[in-house]
Amino acid sequence: NFIDLNVVMAGCGFPTQPGPPPPFDQDTCYTQYVNIPKAELDGVEIEGKYDAARWYAAIAYTHIDGKDKTTGDYLGVLQPDKIVLDGGLKIPEWWSRIGARFTFADDFKKVNPDDQPRDGYNIVDLYAVIEPMEGPLKGLRLDLGIDNVTDEAYELIARDVYEEGRNYKAAISWTHKW
């Protein structure tokens, strides 16, 4: 058993560019989770990291295939092949690090006959972390980031369903060990 994502686009009338969608018929435009009794998934994920005193770097590659063995249809949760590069600088004097993540996704062509391929995309994310290791602020952590810096319009899981654009984020946490 596999819980899959089914995106039904008939009658949606989504624009080909991001922005507010036009009104749509809820009976013919929806997303639902469905059980696939005989699903087969296979793929590969490879990741390598290097961590030095003043810098770090990582590279990852992902590839996934999946089909409904009963119908032969591709599963709806599939995503394109991706390479992710992540790297940054450590600034131990300020208990911080700054970095950038680059995601390169290939064109997605594993679609069922009624669907259309999705274009590849390139995403740039920037982030910073401050985490004091001693003193009265020990245990405090501040994360700041900007995802999708270039505001790239891209379709992750379905044709004409665009991911959010640029995203600013911040998180603060405090951990204390007793």
Side-chain angles (χ1 to χ4, degrees), residues 50-133:
Y50 186 82
D51 193 2
R54 292 279 182 177
W55 61 277
Y56 58 95
I59 184 170
Y61 169 76
T62 57
H63 166 82
I64 188 167
D65 279 322
K67 284 198 170 189
D68 180 334
K69 290 177 72 172
T70 304
T71 65
D73 287 346
Y74 286 106
L75 298 175
V77 296
L78 300 180
Q79 295 183 18
D81 292 356
K82 288 188 252 185
I83 294 176
V84 178
L85 303 175
D86 188 5
L89 299 174
K90 296 179 181 179
I91 309 166
E93 299 84 10
W94 296 344
W95 303 303
S96 61
R97 67 181 186 273
I98 56 172
R101 186 174 30 259
F102 302 90
T103 302
F104 306 98
D106 199 6
D107 290 344
F108 186 74
K109 298 176 182 171
K110 299 173 200 166
V111 296
N112 296 315
D114 293 341
D115 296 329
Q116 293 183 3
R118 300 187 305 267
D119 292 334
Y121 56 89
N122 301 317
I123 304 296
V124 178
D125 304 326
L126 301 175
Y127 58 89
V129 177
I130 301 170
E131 190 171 17
M133 296 296 161

Side-chain angles (χ1 to χ4, degrees), residues 29-45:
C29 181
Y30 57 90
T31 301
Q32 67 182 5
Y33 291 99
V34 294
N35 183 42
I36 306 295
K38 293 184 178 182
E40 182 175 66
L41 288 166
D42 62 71
V44 64
E45 182 175 16

